Amino acid sequence: MRHRRSVRDAGGVIEEIPLVGGNVSAGVVRVGDTVRRPAGPWTPAVHALLTHLREVGFRAAPRPLGLDDKGREVLEFVPGATVWPDRFAEVEPHARLGRVGRMIREFHDAVAGFVPPADATWRVAIPPEDDGGGEIVAHHDLAPWNLVTSGDTWSFIDWDGAGPGSRLWDLAYAVKAFVPLTADLARRRPDAAARVRVLADAYGLDEEQRRRLTPMLARRARAMYDLLAAGHARGTQPWARLWDEGHGASWRRDTAYIEQNEQAWLTALLT
């Protein structure tokens, strides 16, 4: 979660305020009504994506504002706070969970007409599987920690990992995160299957897509475990650190839980 506080000191001078809580990007700060973060080879493509979303009317993403004099990317500051970990009640009711599913569908429909720059470079941590790979430019991390809400205004942030993907691959990750599908007994949901159905209905999946999504839920979770395991083995950050913090074991347990309950997800989706 990005923790935000006032950006003016007692004398009214605008400061650079660190926005902490992300697992991947360091050096993210707020300056006035903007966010500054380290740019990379992927930044021009991501800004082209965000510009396209604005042009076609999708407002649930920050507006790109170019680079500053330090070479950092500049984005519109999105007011509010992330849903995870302290405000999950925002998406607890099924009606509000359904809003998440509709937002994801609106994004996927909006990005369908996007033509990436010819020299686009992307930073996709987990390449999509062959099922629809490259169908759209996906977010790849649609989750409560990247959903900022302020009253009735909801936006997805942290688009740096966007890149070629598929609708279902993107949605599978969101389902895992927003239900959430977890083996942790303290967080395991007795209504998990019903929440899977809420997201699928809100997104507007047809029967064939529901049948494809069901086994993909475990494959998407396993892909995250594989990323962390590979990062641990190679010493690649931040994955090695996250592995040491126990995230790998958590994703392994979650993958097993999702696989073991595959029939429950399918039954909920089709009845």
Side-chain angles (χ1 to χ4, degrees):
M1 181 179 71
R2 304 283 185 198
H3 299 287
R4 299 179 170 93
R5 56 192 174 93
S6 173
V7 297
R8 293 181 182 273
D9 63 18
V13 178
I14 296 179
E15 302 175 286
E16 290 195 0
I17 304 300
L19 301 180
V20 300
N23 286 325
V24 177
S25 296
V28 183
V29 299
R30 178 180 175 184
V31 180
D33 292 329
T34 69
V35 170
R36 315 293 174 99
R37 57 191 300 165
W42 55 85
T43 301
V46 171
H47 281 208
L49 166 65
L50 294 174
T51 297
H52 167 83
L53 293 176
R54 281 275 167 172
E55 289 175 347
V56 298
F58 183 78
R59 293 291 183 266
R63 184 164 53 100
L65 300 170
L67 302 177
D68 67 10
D69 56 5
K70 296 181 179 179
R72 299 176 297 185
E73 72 164 326
V74 184
L75 299 163
E76 169 189 36
F77 174 75
V78 178
T82 53
V83 167
W84 187 262
D86 300 322
R87 302 174 61 249
F88 195 74
E90 285 284 312
V91 294
E92 187 73 42
H94 285 190
R96 296 175 75 81
L97 180 64
R99 178 173 176 177
V100 174
R102 290 190 297 274
M103 282 177 63
I104 296 172
R105 178 58 184 263
E106 289 166 5
F107 157 52
H108 287 171
D109 287 349
V111 79
F114 173 59
V115 178
D119 59 349
T121 297
W122 303 102
R123 185 174 65 164
V124 178
I126 300 176
E129 61 180 35
D130 290 341
D131 190 315
E135 173 189 357
I136 61 168
V137 171
H139 183 287
H140 292 293
D141 198 9
L142 296 170
W145 43 89
N146 284 329
L147 176 62
V148 171
T149 66
S150 177
D152 197 46
T153 302
W154 292 20
S155 299
F156 284 118
I157 61 170
D158 284 352
W159 291 79
D160 275 19
S166 76
R167 289 173 179 257
L168 287 184
W169 194 243
D170 220 20
L171 182 61
Y173 187 86
V175 170
K176 198 277 179 195
F178 278 102
V179 169
L181 295 176
T182 175
D184 183 350
L185 291 177
R187 293 173 50 220
R188 191 178 296 185
R189 301 293 303 241
D191 63 341
R195 288 174 69 83
V196 172
R197 173 66 183 259
V198 167
L199 283 167
D201 286 353
Y203 186 92
L205 294 182
D206 61 27
E207 180 177 336
E208 187 266 340
Q209 290 171 321
R210 290 167 194 252
R211 292 186 181 277
R212 289 167 52 205
L213 175 69
T214 302
M216 192 183 293
L217 295 172
R219 298 199 303 269
R220 184 62 180 83
R222 187 182 301 109
M224 187 65 203
Y225 168 78
D226 290 343
L227 173 69
L228 294 169
H232 167 69
R234 298 168 183 164
T236 305
Q237 298 297 349
W239 317 120
R241 172 178 57 80
L242 293 174
W243 176 277
D244 291 340
E245 292 173 357
H247 291 264
S250 178
W251 279 95
R252 183 179 62 246
R253 292 190 298 269
D254 289 354
T255 299
Y257 163 75
I258 295 168
E259 286 179 327
Q260 292 162 6
N261 290 278
E262 184 174 309
Q263 186 57 50
W265 319 138
L266 182 62
T267 298
L269 286 170
L270 297 181
T271 59

